[in-house]
């Protein structure tokens, strides 16, 4: 594994270096921008057309290119370096938001035009996510990766927690045009912070200090072969394989059932659909707490921590089958959020430490793909099971996640992971 030049060029004390502080601020702002823009986009499309297919069409326009391009983007990150890709993707976001702002302000846009620009944001996301994750190991020593990841993911959880209310409130006061302008301004601040943070990295890349771009271990320069090398590594390594499988299963068993099943549960047992917002805010609060706890006290036995995090999520899902009031439901969903966020920090920090630098972008793109690509299947699962009752839905999904925790615990590589 080639040594990372950034580790030599930047001070090693986390948060004591201006580049690192800017990197954390830039990634945190980018996460808040994502949360705000999703609400803006949903409400704006609802304004353009009646609820239904149009909203789904635009959201799919964002999700499809993001999912389809994540793995090729991981190859690009490994070839060109995460610094260039992260900064370029951040500025692409700004350009698309400005173009969308001009379209909204100067014309009466169609849903199709909005969807096409939203798809470009999906392209930017596909490049940005693995690059942003791959940046950190070059700047932060291994024993502080969990803490820095916790700060970044905590900003994301905070954005998810307050983003919907803030975006909806600002839209109600100043309108769609001005709100989008504010989101674009935040995206520009994020891009500036990221660009300043990676300036030293880019200088090192220009000097030729980074990983030799020549193929290693027989790997060819073609995108297909490079991608195959990353997939092969992830499959051969039991720790990587187990973590990716756990993330994918949790995504399938939690996202759709909590959103779809939670809406039905709120209507049937919790006093009406309005209580769903309170319950989901519990997930955001639990996620924020889980991120901060994982960063404050990184676990000594990571393998068993992964098992415990998966088990906590499974127990929370199964517990939703028995709740019959808003307080209990919010507490249980908070446990799910806490376990998910804690697990996310541990998994990402572990992979950042263990994966060879030349493969890091590809492996982290798999992590992001496992997080976002299975949403349609999760919604389908919820749609099939909801008619059979929310009790069965949550018991089935919770049992599946608990079974996953048991399988992870059976892996010697995972049990010995520290």
């Amino acid at each position: 594994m080639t040594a990372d030049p950034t580790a030599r060029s930047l001070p090693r004390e986390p948060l004591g270096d201006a580049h690192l502080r800017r990197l954390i601020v830039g990634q945190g702002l980018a996460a808040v921008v994502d949360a705000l823009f999703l609400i803006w986009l949903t409400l704006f499309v609802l304004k353009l057309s009646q609820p239904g297919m149009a909203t789904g069409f635009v959201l799919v326009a964002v999700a499809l290119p993001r999912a389809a391009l994540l793995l090729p983007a991981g190859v690009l990150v490994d070839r060109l370096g995460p610094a260039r890709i992260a900064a370029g993707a951040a500025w692409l976001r700004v350009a698309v938001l400005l173009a969308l702002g001009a379209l909204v302000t100067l014309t009466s846009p169609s849903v199709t035009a909005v969807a096409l620009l939203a798809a470009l944001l999906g392209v930017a996301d596909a490049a940005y996510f693995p690059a942003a994750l791959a940046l950190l190991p070059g700047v932060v020593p291994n024993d502080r990766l969990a803490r820095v990841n916790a700060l970044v993911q905590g900003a994301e959880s905070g954005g998810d927690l307050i983003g919907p209310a803030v975006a909806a409130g600002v839209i109600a006061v100043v309108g769609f045009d001005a709100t989008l302008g504010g989101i674009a301004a935040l995206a520009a601040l994020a891009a500036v912070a990221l660009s300043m943070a990676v300036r030293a990295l880019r200088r090192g890349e220009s000097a030729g200090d980074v990983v030799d771009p020549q193929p290693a271990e027989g790997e060819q320069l073609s995108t297909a072969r490079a991608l195959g090398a990353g997939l092969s590594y992830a499959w051969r390594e039991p720790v990587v394989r187990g973590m990716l499988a756990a993330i994918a299963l949790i995504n399938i068993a939690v996202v759709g059932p909590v959103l779809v099943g939670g809406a039905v549960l709120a209507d049937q047992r919790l006093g009406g659909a309005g209580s769903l917002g309170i319950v989901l805010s519990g997930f955001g609060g639990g996620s924020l707490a889980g991120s901060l706890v994982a960063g404050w006290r990184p676990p000594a036995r990571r393998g068993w921590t992964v098992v415990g995090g998966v088990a906590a999520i499974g127990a929370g899902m199964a517990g939703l089958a028995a709740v019959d009031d808003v307080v209990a439901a919010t507490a249980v969903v908070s446990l799910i959020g806490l376990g998910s966020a804690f697990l996310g920090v541990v998994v990402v920090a572990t992979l950042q430490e263990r994966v060879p630098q030349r493969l890091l972008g590809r492996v982290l793109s798999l992590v992001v793909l496992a997080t976002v690509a299975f949403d349609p299947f999760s919604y389908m699962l919820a749609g099939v099971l909801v008619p059979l009752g929310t009790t069965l839905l949550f018991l089935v999904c919770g049992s599946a996640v608990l079974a996953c925790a048991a399988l992870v615990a059976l892996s010697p590589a995972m049990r010995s992971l520290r």
Side-chain angles (χ1 to χ4, degrees):
M1 176 176 168
T2 306
D4 193 324
T6 314
R8 299 191 299 270
S9 61
L10 294 180
R12 301 296 287 173
E13 181 61 31
L15 305 184
D17 177 74
H19 291 295
L20 178 56
R21 291 196 298 270
R22 293 187 187 107
L23 182 62
I24 294 172
V25 169
Q27 292 194 16
L29 282 174
V32 173
V33 166
D34 283 343
L36 294 175
F37 178 74
L38 181 62
I39 301 302
W40 182 93
L41 182 64
T42 302
L43 295 177
F44 185 72
V45 175
L46 287 174
K47 174 192 172 186
L48 291 181
S49 63
Q50 294 298 318
M53 289 296 294
T55 305
F57 171 66
V58 174
L59 294 179
V60 168
V62 178
L64 275 181
R66 181 174 59 196
L69 296 176
L70 267 171
L71 298 185
V75 175
L76 200 63
V77 169
D78 288 334
R79 284 181 172 170
L80 301 181
R84 288 187 177 96
I85 302 301
W91 284 111
L92 176 58
R93 277 177 173 172
V94 176
V96 174
L97 288 171
L98 290 175
L100 183 58
L103 182 72
V104 168
T105 303
L106 302 177
T107 69
S108 297
S110 65
V111 171
T112 301
V114 173
L116 288 174
L117 285 173
L120 287 177
L121 282 176
V123 173
D125 286 346
Y128 174 79
F129 290 144
L133 292 175
L135 264 175
L136 294 179
V139 186
V140 183
N142 284 349
D143 61 344
R144 298 299 181 93
L145 273 172
R147 181 167 298 180
V148 175
N149 276 295
L151 290 173
V152 175
Q153 293 189 34
E156 181 177 352
S157 299
D160 291 338
L161 180 61
I162 68 173
V166 169
V170 173
I171 289 170
V173 174
V174 302
F176 285 98
D177 299 4
T179 301
L180 183 58
I183 294 172
L186 287 177
L189 288 175
V192 169
L194 286 168
S195 297
M196 294 175 69
V198 304
R199 184 165 50 192
L201 284 158
R202 295 177 66 182
R203 191 179 301 127
E205 289 171 357
S206 298
D209 286 337
V210 281
V211 180
D212 186 349
Q214 295 301 315
E217 299 178 6
E219 180 182 337
Q220 301 298 315
L221 287 178
S222 71
T223 299
R225 292 295 297 273
L227 181 56
L231 293 172
S232 176
Y233 171 84
W235 178 255
R236 291 195 314 268
E237 291 293 320
V239 169
V240 179
R241 184 174 66 240
M243 287 183 171
L244 288 173
I247 292 170
L249 180 76
I250 289 170
N251 189 56
I252 293 172
V254 172
V255 175
V258 166
L259 291 177
V260 178
V264 176
L265 182 70
D267 184 58
Q268 292 179 349
R269 299 191 211 168
L270 307 183
S275 60
L276 180 63
I278 300 173
V279 173
L280 293 182
S281 70
F283 183 89
S287 297
L288 180 59
S291 298
L292 297 179
V293 169
W296 185 255
R297 285 194 171 275
R301 299 178 64 87
R302 295 190 184 183
W304 286 110
T305 299
V306 171
V307 173
V310 176
I313 296 168
M317 289 298 296
L320 283 175
V323 299
D324 56 6
D325 62 73
V326 174
V327 174
T330 303
V332 171
V333 170
S334 298
L335 174 65
I336 298 173
L338 190 149
S340 299
F342 194 96
L343 187 65
V345 171
V346 172
V347 166
V348 169
T350 300
L351 295 178
Q352 287 170 336
E353 294 175 19
R354 295 175 63 92
V355 176
Q357 186 72 32
R358 66 182 184 87
L359 294 168
L360 188 58
R362 279 165 279 183
V363 173
L364 291 176
S365 71
L366 285 169
V367 173
V368 180
L369 185 66
T371 303
V372 303
F374 295 100
D375 286 357
F377 300 100
S378 185
Y379 294 131
M380 288 174 57
L381 175 67
V384 169
L385 293 179
V386 158
L388 303 178
T390 55
T391 298
L392 179 64
L393 168 69
F394 292 124
L395 284 177
V396 168
C397 293
S399 298
V401 177
L402 288 171
C404 177
L407 289 175
V408 172
L410 292 175
S411 168
M414 291 299 298
R415 289 199 306 270
S416 61
L417 180 62
R418 293 181 182 274

